[in-house]
Amino acid sequence: WGFDALHQHELAHEWWGNQITPPDWNDLWLHEAFAQYMQPLYAERRISPAKARDIMTMARSRIRTTSPLAIAPREMQNSRQAYARDVYWRGSWVLHSLRYLIGSDRFFELLRQWNDPQPPVPAINAACRCRFATTDDLMRLASRLAGRDLAWFFEVYVRQAELPRLTVTREGATVELRWEAPAGLPFPMPVDVKVDGRARRVEMPEGRATLTVPARATFEVDPDAWVLRGGQ
């Protein structure tokens, strides 16, 4: 990986696990996903963005879709059940896609406030600011920083086993993009498209979009691999 990945992951737990952790096994993904995603972030800063993308590509190949990351409705889990869920690889990709959705500046502010909330919340131990937090707490923080309700993002990515799929249909100069989310849930996730080497972000407020693309133009969806989806 170009660095001691195990050491870096466990060191990350000093923040994302030891200082802030879920109150029970149901939201274990918060404990492991943050530590796992710190690895590509470290690689991005210390090595190169290309190295970070390589790590995320490896992580994507290991994702399982047999169960959701968190339980809804909440049913008490034990440690074995919790670790049977894809709390590492899928969890890191959820954070990666969240970063794309809200932008890197807001995402890094989310990391700061997730560890040191503003305004402060009661701590388990005031000396180390240790506290409990849940998926809903993360959803509320992300929504506040984004300036809009992101419940749909967490409902699909965290509380459903199946991943959303992006259907791309191209006929002549017309390209149609359409999300198919599990259980017919709303999923207005934007996505980047690259046409003849030029990339732009396409908003999909209703879960679909129609683009006009020259018939002979090259066309690529999500060229930098930001958005987690089924069938990748």
Side-chain angles (χ1 to χ4, degrees):
W1 288 30
F3 58 95
D4 189 332
L6 179 59
H7 176 270
Q8 203 278 345
H9 177 96
E10 300 306 331
L11 182 62
H13 275 315
E14 295 299 324
W15 286 268
W16 323 116
N18 296 346
Q19 285 209 134
I20 178 171
T21 195
D24 55 44
W25 292 106
N26 294 30
D27 283 325
L28 175 68
W29 81 276
L30 296 171
H31 180 90
E32 297 295 354
F34 275 89
Q36 196 71 39
Y37 192 51
M38 293 306 105
Q39 294 171 318
L41 289 185
Y42 181 84
E44 179 181 325
R45 179 64 62 88
R46 296 300 299 272
I47 303 175
S48 69
K51 184 63 178 180
R53 285 195 294 272
D54 287 344
I55 294 173
M56 293 308 297
T57 298
M58 176 275 295
R60 180 63 187 88
S61 71
R62 299 184 181 185
I63 288 179
R64 306 187 304 272
T65 56
T66 56
S67 62
L69 286 177
I71 302 300
R74 295 179 67 85
E75 302 169 0
M76 188 56 62
Q77 301 286 294
N78 59 38
S79 60
R80 180 174 296 180
Q81 291 169 315
Y83 273 105
R85 301 178 184 280
D86 196 1
V87 294
Y88 293 92
W89 310 113
R90 179 167 174 164
S92 67
W93 258 94
V94 168
L95 296 179
H96 187 61
S97 296
L98 179 62
R99 177 185 173 187
Y100 169 77
L101 177 62
I102 69 176
S104 289
D105 288 346
R106 290 190 181 95
F107 181 78
F108 290 122
E109 179 61 24
L110 179 145
L111 294 186
R112 286 187 287 271
Q113 292 195 29
W114 184 239
N115 180 255
D116 186 14
Q118 301 296 327
V121 300
I124 305 167
N125 183 328
C128 69
R129 297 181 302 186
C130 301
R131 67 187 180 91
F132 290 132
T134 66
T135 295
D136 287 343
D137 291 325
L138 180 62
M139 178 190 70
R140 284 189 286 267
L141 174 59
S143 296
R144 179 169 60 80
L145 292 174
R148 60 188 187 279
D149 187 1
L150 299 184
W152 58 269
F153 177 94
F154 290 88
E155 182 63 34
V156 170
Y157 274 142
V158 177
R159 302 204 183 277
Q160 305 296 318
E162 183 183 355
L163 291 174
R165 290 181 174 269
L166 182 63
T167 300
V168 182
T169 305
R170 183 173 183 177
E171 294 185 6
T174 301
V175 174
E176 293 188 357
L177 308 176
R178 181 167 58 86
W179 282 109
E180 296 178 357
L185 290 166
F187 194 68
M189 186 72 176
V191 67
D192 283 354
V193 298
K194 182 183 285 187
V195 179
D196 279 344
R198 299 182 62 182
R200 67 184 180 93
R201 180 168 171 140
V202 175
E203 300 293 337
M204 301 176 65
E206 302 298 326
R208 57 183 180 272
T210 301
L211 312 175
T212 299
V213 177
R216 295 181 180 274
T218 59
F219 179 80
E220 187 178 1
V221 175
D222 194 22
D224 294 319
W226 280 105
V227 180
L228 178 61
R229 63 186 189 276
Q232 280 179 290

